[in-house]
Amino acid sequence: MFDTHAHIHDRAFDADRDAMLARARDAGVERIMTIGTDLAASRAAREAAVRYGLDYSIGVHPHEAKDAPENLAAALDELLAEAGPKPPRAIGEIGLDYYYDHSPRDVQRAVMVAQLRFARERKMPVVFHQRDAFDDFRTILHEEAAGGLAGVVHCFTEGPEQARILVEEYGLRLGIGGVLTFKSAASVRDAVVAVGLDHIILETDCPYLAPVPYRGQRNEPAFIAATAGVLAETLGTTRDEVIRRTTATAKALFGA
Ligand SMILES: [Zn+2]
Ligand SMILES: [Zn+2]
């Protein structure tokens, strides 16, 4: 399995990171991408990736958009230059979050656009975060990436209509995590049925959003097996088939 969205460098794992990664290996997780959320966290993601043999991404999350440097492209280029033989696999997570509104919305939009342009110029895939901002998110995609782009909308929590728009109009993948297993998430299950297995990749978003039966606990990559199981049930297929095809899709997006 490929956990395409984790925050392994997060403080939540400081006490037991080695044991936690051993549990992931034992559970059959072969690949993990640890995701940057601001410039410092992107550097921490790279350090964890080098140390533990992970993939990583660099980018500024909408929560942190208010602290992004004025010349964000130059700062990202600096991160690329520092990376040497271990380049990031994606730009992210970037996007809009109007649920928390930790940064002003106009700043969120500007920071998303700057990073989306950067990713397209560098021909890198994008990891998007979108919460309660679908219309503005779609407008930016329409203006900046009408021809489609390589990327994933991680932690997808909306319904079939939004899923179809992201997949069919923009060629994006849906990152499906623990929310799929929540009793209340019938619309997410309808969405995965609507778009089908070939447009889905698996993620944990750990340490957040643990799937049932671990809900409420600190999440970790080993728990991704529970999400794969529910995805198989939802689509009427086997867990092995889910794992095989989501892994292939993720490798096609982020590199083998
Ligand atoms: Zn996110
Ligand atoms: Zn995340």
Side-chain angles (χ1 to χ4, degrees):
M1 283 173 282
F2 186 168
D3 183 354
T4 62
H5 193 114
H7 300 277
I8 300 302
H9 51 283
D10 193 282
R11 239 183 284 138
F13 297 117
D14 279 355
D16 66 340
R17 193 169 283 106
D18 291 274
M20 178 272 288
L21 289 169
R23 285 194 292 277
R25 277 192 298 277
D26 290 345
V29 179
E30 307 139 338
R31 248 176 104 170
I32 300 172
M33 181 143 69
T34 194
I35 303 285
T37 48
D38 63 18
L39 298 177
S42 296
R43 286 192 169 87
R46 182 182 67 224
E47 279 160 25
V50 168
R51 177 158 182 188
Y52 297 106
L54 314 174
D55 297 325
Y56 73 103
S57 71
I58 59 170
V60 177
H61 190 288
H63 289 350
E64 320 303 335
K66 61 184 183 307
D67 299 319
E70 207 153 307
N71 193 341
L72 183 49
L76 293 172
D77 266 332
E78 209 176 296
L79 282 171
L80 288 182
E82 282 169 22
K86 184 77 178 176
R89 295 282 188 166
I91 298 300
E93 51 189 301
I94 73 170
L96 304 176
D97 192 315
Y98 294 176
Y99 179 81
Y100 285 108
D101 277 331
H102 286 333
S103 293
R105 293 180 177 184
D106 58 331
V107 176
Q108 292 189 42
R109 288 191 292 270
V111 167
M112 175 183 167
V113 167
Q115 295 183 97
L116 181 50
R117 288 179 184 167
F118 181 90
R120 286 169 70 77
E121 281 164 17
R122 302 296 182 284
K123 298 191 167 29
M124 294 176 72
V126 183
V127 177
F128 289 110
H129 171 110
Q130 187 284 123
R131 189 160 181 197
D132 282 5
F134 190 83
D135 290 344
D136 281 1
F137 184 78
R138 185 184 182 184
T139 298
I140 292 175
L141 291 181
H142 187 74
E143 289 170 357
E144 300 290 329
L149 76 163
V152 57
V153 178
H154 108 91
C155 193
F156 180 81
T157 51
E158 286 171 284
E161 191 193 331
Q162 292 86 354
R164 278 202 197 92
I165 289 168
L166 297 172
V167 167
E168 290 169 13
E169 291 185 20
Y170 303 104
L172 294 167
R173 307 293 178 229
L174 307 183
I176 297 295
V179 172
L180 181 80
T181 69
F182 297 175
K183 205 172 169 194
S184 56
S187 66
V188 182
R189 290 186 287 276
D190 291 345
V192 302
V193 170
V195 300
L197 185 53
D198 285 331
H199 302 285
I200 293 168
I201 61 178
L202 290 173
E203 65 172 59
T204 57
D205 203 14
C206 67
Y208 313 106
L209 291 169
V212 173
Y214 312 102
R215 191 171 180 180
Q217 297 179 33
R218 184 193 69 175
N219 197 6
E220 60 178 65
F223 297 168
I224 201 169
T227 303
V230 172
L231 187 55
E233 261 170 54
T234 306
L235 293 169
T237 183
T238 63
R239 217 178 64 105
D240 282 354
E241 183 69 2
V242 160
I243 291 168
R244 193 178 64 75
R245 282 165 64 186
T246 55
T247 301
T249 303
K251 285 181 176 171
L253 182 58
F254 298 121

